[in-house]
Amino acid sequence: MAKYRADPFKDKVDLGVGIYRDLSGNTPILDCVRRAEKEVLDAQTTKSYVSAAGREEFNAAVEELVLGAAHPARRDKRARTLQAPGGCGALRVGAELIKDAAPNAAVFLSDPTWGNHAPLIGDCGLKLERYPYYDPISHELTFEQMLHRLQAANPGDAVLIHACCHNPTGADLSTAQWQAVTDLLERRRLVPFLDLAYQGFGSSLDADAAPIRAVVERLPEALIAVSFSKNLGLYRERVGALIVVSENAERADAVNSHMLHIARSIYSMPPDHGAAIAARIFAEAPLRHEWVRELEAMRKRIQEMRSLLAGRLAEITGGNSFDFIRTQHGMFSLLGVSREAVERLREKHHIYMTSDSRMNLAGIMPHNVTYVAEAFAAESGR
Ligand SMILES: Cc1ncc(COP(=O)(O)O)c(C=O)c1O
């Protein structure tokens, strides 16, 4: 980021950051957020403390958004939800909960995964393992190896899975693959730890949550870390939640008091402002409709840029080796080139990516797509 800022080149391209950008290169405040925020501030009478669990109406709405209104786990009172400071806060509380319940459990992370997973989960003392997930050269999931690796996990180990829009690969499990993974989790008595940071960025709010809903229907326990940083654009307000599903209502109550204890011991209580905005949007139909429309516009913009870039690369290279960019989901894909090529893209072409060649498709604009495609084709040797 510092190198990008320091580069005086007029047409430099930033594909490195992890945030959404619109066609003007801005990370906008959504209109629904602006309206809800005003209503929240107008109605607010105090800045007194909230509780460790956060806002009840926020937690209930998040549970419904993620699991769906009529999910059996909710009907059977097996789910408990804690408002958390962003998806990161939810991941950390989830990790602490696993650590307290099963100190010797390992958490399996996908290889590759988002760079913050290891510190967020490993720094509480849990052992980390990796499962092969994706081959950046063939641009395909390494699904058989994934199953093979997880087969060797011990009962009680947790498996962190990106619920949709995998970061950094953009490659998600198919419905059949989710089923096969769920079978394995059930058979090996492994605990799914699902990271939902991009609900609505893949296909729709409901479709992106569908794999989670199916997993939770089958398995006795699950943890779900939810983030509203991207889909509500509330990054700095730190809005997220941890949903924990337990075997029965009694255990869910015990888990809940444990989660509250963990929250109190780390940050006491979550920040209120962003969650108050989100709760208002979830509850009021006009605001919610506006949100769904704005979310769809963000998703479509990224999908359009994916198609445009893949199409331009097909024209330039005369082949389809970049077609994966069109078919993958969410903001990120791995270009699949060496660190040296990433450096050349930066030094020669002023195109910035992370060193693993992760590109943020929200950095692509109609005016820079040809420039980027030509540079990618030149430096990837295809
Ligand atoms: C995969 C993944 N999980 C979780 C998060 C958590 O985000 P936040 O703590 O900003 O809500 C992110 C953010 O980039 C992410 O990419």
Side-chain angles (χ1 to χ4, degrees):
M1 279 159 91
K3 279 183 181 152
Y4 174 80
R5 275 198 297 270
D7 184 345
F9 186 67
K10 183 168 72 54
D11 296 322
K12 61 187 174 179
V13 181
D14 183 8
L15 305 182
V17 292
I19 52 175
Y20 175 79
R21 293 222 163 113
D22 64 16
L23 278 174
S24 331
N26 298 321
T27 303
I29 301 175
L30 300 186
D31 288 339
C32 61
V33 166
R34 276 202 192 283
R35 283 177 45 204
E37 184 165 44
K38 186 167 180 322
E39 289 177 20
V40 164
L41 290 175
D42 287 348
Q44 202 163 58
T45 54
T46 180
K47 293 285 185 191
S48 160
Y49 291 120
V50 291
S51 74
R55 286 182 172 259
E56 253 176 56
E57 79 276 20
F58 171 84
N59 290 339
V62 171
E63 225 178 85
E64 194 175 320
L65 191 69
V66 174
L67 296 179
H71 197 283
R74 299 189 71 221
R75 188 195 55 215
D76 300 341
K77 309 212 174 339
R78 290 169 48 217
R80 295 291 180 277
T81 301
L82 176 87
Q83 184 188 318
C88 289
L91 284 164
R92 183 54 178 245
V93 173
E96 297 282 353
L97 194 62
I98 295 171
K99 176 82 168 77
D100 286 352
N104 297 322
V107 179
F108 282 74
L109 305 179
S110 66
D111 183 14
T113 194
W114 179 48
N116 280 4
H117 276 149
L120 275 172
I121 295 166
D123 280 12
C124 70
L126 280 167
K127 192 167 142 213
L128 297 181
E129 299 281 358
R130 301 269 172 176
Y131 60 86
Y133 184 75
Y134 181 81
D135 177 359
I137 307 301
S138 68
H139 306 289
E140 292 192 353
L141 291 176
T142 50
F143 188 64
E144 290 309 316
Q145 290 101 300
M146 171 179 176
L147 291 185
H148 184 73
R149 180 73 189 95
L150 293 180
Q151 195 71 43
N154 293 313
D157 285 349
V159 183
L160 190 121
I161 309 177
H162 300 230
C164 67
C165 307
H166 185 277
N167 178 6
T169 70
D172 291 333
L173 299 174
S174 67
T175 308
Q177 288 169 330
W178 271 106
Q179 265 165 19
V181 170
T182 312
D183 288 345
L184 190 148
L185 296 174
E186 190 175 37
R187 216 171 39 245
R188 298 288 307 152
R189 287 189 285 128
L190 306 174
V191 180
F193 193 175
L194 303 159
D195 186 354
L196 181 61
Y198 298 93
Q199 189 181 3
F201 268 71
S203 304
S204 70
L205 284 168
D206 278 327
D208 292 351
I212 294 187
R213 295 173 187 176
V215 168
V216 169
E217 266 200 51
R218 285 268 304 282
L219 299 184
E221 295 180 325
L223 296 91
I224 309 161
V226 191
S227 164
F228 294 100
S229 298
K230 313 289 154 80
N231 59 11
L232 275 168
L234 282 169
Y235 307 85
R236 67 171 64 169
E237 303 293 356
R238 313 308 298 132
V239 191
L242 178 68
I243 304 173
V244 181
V245 180
S246 307
E247 219 167 342
N248 54 47
E250 201 184 342
R251 288 190 72 157
D253 282 335
V255 163
N256 197 45
S257 61
H258 218 88
M259 288 201 290
L260 293 174
H261 174 78
I262 292 168
R264 274 189 220 105
S265 72
I266 312 179
Y267 52 80
S268 182
M269 57 196 67
D272 178 60
H273 187 65
I277 294 170
R280 198 140 193 127
I281 293 170
F282 300 152
E284 286 183 20
L287 286 172
R288 192 174 173 123
H289 290 147
E290 192 170 16
W291 175 43
V292 170
R293 273 198 306 278
E294 294 188 280
L295 180 55
E296 187 181 1
M298 291 195 277
R299 177 174 68 242
K300 289 217 163 122
R301 167 164 144 62
I302 296 168
Q303 284 166 348
E304 275 167 30
M305 293 306 115
R306 284 185 172 279
S307 292
L308 202 56
L309 180 59
R312 213 44 61 84
L313 278 157
E315 283 161 25
I316 295 168
T317 61
N320 62 359
S321 57
F322 290 96
D323 213 37
F324 68 94
I325 297 176
R326 191 175 53 74
T327 54
Q328 291 175 343
H329 294 108
M331 284 203 298
F332 307 111
S333 281
L334 288 177
L335 186 57
V337 298
S338 64
R339 274 170 187 268
E340 292 71 33
V342 170
E343 259 168 50
R344 287 197 302 277
L345 282 164
R346 190 174 65 228
E347 301 303 326
K348 277 169 61 183
H349 304 276
H350 310 269
I351 296 173
Y352 291 75
M353 292 192 272
T354 50
S355 55
D356 57 355
S357 80
R358 187 191 78 170
M359 54 182 147
N360 178 351
L361 278 306
I364 302 285
M365 314 284 165
H367 72 262
N368 68 21
V369 67
T370 303
Y371 176 76
V372 171
E374 281 169 355
F376 280 1
E379 298 306 339
S380 64
R382 272 178 269 179

